[in-house]
Amino acid sequence: MSPGGANSPRPRPQGGVRLAARPDAGAAGHDPPTEAALTTTLLATDGLTVRFGGHVAVDAVTCAFRAGELTAIVGPNGAGKTTYFNLISGQIAASAGRVSLMGEDITRLSVAERCRRGLGRAFQLTNLFPDLTVLENVRLVIQARERKGFGLLSTAASHSGITTAAEAVLDRVRLADRAGSKVSELSHGNQRKLEVAMLIALDPRVYMFDEPTAGMSVDEAPVVLDLIAELKHDSDRTILLVEHKMDVIRTLADRIIVLHNGALAADGPPAEVMASDVVQEAYMGKALEDV
Amino acid sequence: MLTAILSGDTPRSRILTVLLLAVLVCLAAAPFLFPGVRALETAATICIFIVLVASYDLLLGYTGIVSFAHTMFFGLGAYGVALASTHLGRSWGALLVGTASGAVAAAVLALLIGLFSLRVRAIFFAMITLAVASAVAVLVSQLFEITGGEDGLTYQIPRALTPAFRFGELFGVNLNGRIINYYLVFAASLVLFLLLLRIVNSPFGRVLQAIRENDFRAEAIGYRVVWYRTAATCLSAAVAALAGSLYAIWLRYVGPDTTLSFEIMLDILLMVVIGGMGTMYGAVLGAVIFVLAQNYLQSLMGVAAGAAEGLPVLPLLLDPNRWLMWLGILFILSVYFFPTGIVGRLRSGR
Ligand SMILES: Nc1ncnc2c1ncn2[C@@H]1O[C@H](COP(=O)(O)OP(=O)(O)OP(=O)(O)O)[C@@H](O)[C@H]1O
Ligand SMILES: [Mg+2]
C-alpha cells in the first residue's frame, strides 16, 4: 500500500483542500513521524456510509489514517463525527462501504473483535462502569487486553501485575488518589479523565478520542491534552481526535479532516485546511471559532 | 488462609460475620444440636437451597440476567439421580452417573438457550427460559412411563446413606446412614458455595459484573459479551443441577412439586432479593430465613393463634393457613426497608 495508491481518498468535487501526496514528514507535525511509519496505513475507510431512514449521517467517507499521525476531525454539531467513529469501532453497522484495519477488512466484525485487533475508543458521553471502583474500571480494561477474562479459578486480586498496571495508568491521569472511589461518586471532570485512562490502558494501535476535554475545567484539560501529546511520540500508533477547540487542534494535529452533513468536506495539513476558503466561510467562522 | 478460602471476599460487616458463623456452626453440628427428623430435614434443605440460590445469584445478581428456568436445571439434576438409581439399581455408581449426566445435560441445555436468545435483548432470554421451563414441566408430568408423572419417582440409594444403616451412638444421638447422608449434603454444599464465591471473585466474575453495569462498554473494551453471558448461564445451570442431585440423594424421591414447580422458582427469587443480590452471602441468609419460615412459621402461628384465642380478629389473622400472607408481608417489608437486601444493609450500616 503506497500513499499515492489505494489509500488516497477519492477526489471530491470541492474547492477546498484535498489530500494530495503527504508533504514531507514534519510539515505540520511537532514530532515528525519517521518516513517508514508514515507509509503505513493503519486504518482506512472506503466509501463508508450510514443512513438512518432517509437521513444520510455519514456519506461515503473515504479516508486513510497512517501510523504516527494525529488527525483532528472537525465539523459542526450533528456533522456525523461521532457516527463516523461508531461505524469504525462497530457500534453501528455500515449501510455501505468498508473499514479496514492494518490491511484487513473489519467491516463485518463485532465491536469486541475490532477492539481486540487494536481499535481503541473513548466516548463523547462518559460511558463507564458506575458501581465499580475507579481502579476496577481500569483493571477490567487491562484484564481484557491481557486476555484473562475467562480465568475462573484464580481470584482477580491474585493477578497483581494487572492491578499494578492499572494503578500506573491512573497515576498518569492524576486519578491515583481516587482509585478506591466508586465511579458514580466522581466529578464530571474526573469521569472524563477516567474515560481517557481506559483508552490508554487498552494500549491500542488506533486511538479514537471523541471530544475528550468537553466539560472539563481549565486546569483539568491540560492533563488529558498532555497525555495525548505524549501518545504522539509513539510512531506505531495513529490518533483520531474529534475536537472543537481550535487552539488544541493547532498544537496537536498533523492533519485535519472536516465533516459536513456526513461528507468529507476537506482534508489536509492544519494550516491549509484552516486557510481554505470553503472551510473559512462554511465552518470555521460559525462552528469552530465560537467555541 | 481463611481469606484465601473465601477468595478474598470477606463478609465486611461484623454482624454479618457473626450471623454467617452461626449458620455455619448450626449446619455443621445440626445432627447433634437439633436431634430429630424434622430438624435434620430442615438443615439439609437449607444447605441445598443455599447452593441453589447462590447459583441463581451468579446469574441475576452478578451478571444481571433474569432467568425463570432455574428450577428446570435443579430438576434435571434431581431426575438424573432418580433415573440413574432406578435403572442402574441401588449403587454409588448410579448416584455418580446420575449427578454427572444431570449437570452436563443442564449445561448443554443452558448453552442452547443462551446461544439462541442471549444475542438478542435480555427480556427475550427471560421469556425463552419461561417457555422452555414450562414446556419441560409439562413434559415431565406427561411422560409418566419415564418420569413417574405427577407421582414422581422413588428409588433406592446405597444403604450407607439410609436410616437402616446404624453404627453406634455419639452424644446420645443414634448414628445412622441418615447422618452420613446429611454430611454428604453439607460438605458438597459447602464446597459448591465456596466454588461459586471463587468464581464471582475471579477475573471472569469481574467481567460479569462489568457486563451487568454496562454491557455496551464491556464489549467496547474487548469482552465478547454473549460468550460471557452464555458461560455464566451454563455454570449457573450446572451448579443448580448439582444442588438438585443432592436434593434427590437426600429425599430419595423426586417429583414435579419438589423440584420443578414454579413456586420454587419464586421462592428462589425471594431468597436472592431478601438476602441481597450480587453478594453470594445473601444466598445464605435468604435461604436460612426463608426455609425456616416455611417450615416453622406455620407451627409458630398455630401456637400464637391458640394463645390469642378469645381475642377478636387476631386468631383469624394468625390462622396457620395464612402463613403465606405473612411471608408476603415480610417480603414487602424487607424489600421496602432493605432494598439492597440484608447483606447490603449490614455492609452499609457498618
Ligand atoms: N442511531 C441514530 N439514529 C438516528 N439518527 C442518528 C443516530 N445517530 C446519529 N444520528 C444522527 O446523525 C447525525 C450525526 O450525529 P453525530 O452524533 O454523529 O454528530 P456529531 O458530529 O458527533 O455532533 P456533535 O458535535 O454534536 O457531537 C445527527 O443528525 C444525529 O441526529
Ligand atoms: Mg459527537
Side-chain angles (χ1 to χ4, degrees), chain B residues 2-199:
Chain B
L2 192 64
T3 319
I5 291 174
L6 298 179
S7 306
D9 190 355
T10 51
R12 285 183 282 133
S13 148
R14 190 161 301 149
I15 302 174
L16 181 58
T17 310
V18 171
L19 287 174
L20 290 171
L21 276 176
V23 170
L24 181 68
V25 169
C26 287
L27 289 177
F32 305 99
L33 286 179
F34 318 105
V37 176
R38 180 152 176 223
L40 202 60
E41 209 68 48
T42 308
T45 310
I46 287 175
C47 290
I48 290 161
F49 270 79
I50 287 174
V51 175
L52 183 62
V53 173
S55 65
Y56 193 67
D57 195 24
L58 175 69
L59 215 53
L60 181 68
Y62 283 87
T63 323
I65 296 176
V66 178
S67 160
F68 293 109
H70 216 58
T71 44
M72 176 180 78
F73 299 125
F74 186 58
L76 273 176
Y79 275 92
V81 165
L83 289 171
S85 297
T86 309
H87 295 291
L88 301 179
R90 164 195 247 185
S91 69
W92 292 97
L95 297 188
L96 224 66
V97 168
T99 304
S101 41
V104 170
V108 170
L109 192 56
L111 182 71
L112 291 178
I113 298 178
L115 288 181
F116 184 65
S117 60
L118 281 173
R119 290 189 174 277
V120 225
R121 300 248 302 283
I123 184 74
F124 191 60
F125 179 80
M127 279 153 54
I128 291 283
T129 55
L130 190 58
V132 174
S134 315
V136 166
V138 170
L139 214 64
V140 166
S141 44
Q142 297 288 312
L143 295 173
F144 59 87
E145 290 93 346
I146 304 171
T147 61
E150 293 291 343
D151 295 339
L153 295 168
T154 32
Y155 44 87
Q156 298 208 302
I157 58 172
R159 194 164 172 276
L161 297 177
T162 64
F165 178 72
R166 296 176 185 282
F167 59 99
E169 209 189 277
L170 188 69
F171 307 129
V173 176
N174 278 322
L175 297 181
N176 62 32
R178 199 76 181 140
I179 291 176
I180 298 181
N181 198 336
Y182 175 77
Y183 278 108
L184 174 76
V185 168
F186 172 77
S189 301
L190 186 63
V191 169
L192 285 172
F193 180 79
L194 292 176
L195 180 73
L196 284 169
L197 196 60
R198 171 55 61 97
I199 288 174

Side-chain angles (χ1 to χ4, degrees), chain A residues 52 55 57 76-83 124 211 244:
Chain A
F52 297 118
H55 177 63
N77 292 110
K81 304 178 297 291
T82 299
T83 308
Q124 180 176 6
E211 302 191 29
H244 279 302

Side-chain angles (χ1 to χ4, degrees), chain A residues 26-249:
Chain A
H30 307 271
D31 302 296
T34 61
E35 196 90 38
L38 266 186
T39 57
T40 320
T41 294
L42 285 184
L43 175 72
T45 67
D46 183 13
L48 199 60
T49 304
V50 70
R51 286 178 216 96
F52 297 118
H55 177 63
V56 186
V58 171
D59 190 0
V61 176
T62 298
C63 199
F65 304 95
R66 295 170 193 75
E69 195 178 55
L70 189 150
T71 308
I73 302 176
V74 302
N77 292 110
K81 304 178 297 291
T82 299
T83 308
Y84 185 49
F85 270 14
N86 282 336
L87 288 170
I88 293 173
S89 55
Q91 273 86 16
I92 292 180
S95 310
R98 284 169 10 111
V99 184
S100 54
L101 181 67
M102 292 180 274
E104 283 183 64
D105 188 345
I106 58 167
T107 320
R108 302 262 159 265
L109 297 184
S110 71
V111 172
E113 192 55 44
R114 293 181 201 209
C115 172
R116 293 160 82 92
R117 293 185 181 210
L119 209 58
R121 164 96 190 262
F123 292 87
Q124 180 176 6
L125 299 174
T126 308
N127 204 320
L128 305 160
F129 304 112
D131 254 3
L132 307 181
T133 64
V134 172
L135 179 65
E136 185 60 23
N137 269 258
V138 179
R139 226 196 50 77
L140 277 162
V141 175
I142 294 173
Q143 181 181 290
R145 189 183 85 197
E146 308 254 308
R147 309 277 192 269
K148 290 276 163 53
F150 268 104
L152 276 168
L153 295 179
S154 58
T155 61
S158 68
H159 297 265
S160 51
I162 295 181
T163 312
T164 315
E167 284 163 348
V169 173
L170 286 179
D171 215 28
R172 288 179 70 185
V173 294
R174 314 274 181 281
L175 272 180
D177 54 328
R178 304 304 306 270
S181 314
K182 258 194 192 180
V183 168
S184 53
E185 292 160 2
L186 291 188
S187 67
H188 175 76
N190 279 338
Q191 292 197 3
R192 295 301 298 160
K193 279 197 213 162
L194 181 56
E195 184 68 46
V196 170
M198 286 176 71
L199 177 51
I200 288 173
L202 200 56
D203 194 24
R205 291 298 293 277
V206 178
Y207 290 86
M208 296 195 280
F209 292 99
D210 200 345
E211 302 191 29
T213 61
M216 271 193 175
S217 67
V218 255
D219 45 306
E220 284 171 322
V223 175
V224 167
L225 296 174
D226 288 351
L227 266 172
I228 296 176
E230 250 176 67
L231 294 175
K232 279 188 63 183
H233 288 291
D234 193 339
S235 58
D236 273 351
R237 322 288 163 120
T238 191
I239 304 173
L240 277 58
L241 172 67
V242 174
E243 184 56 76
H244 279 302
K245 300 188 190 91
M246 283 322 288
D247 52 328
V248 169
I249 295 171

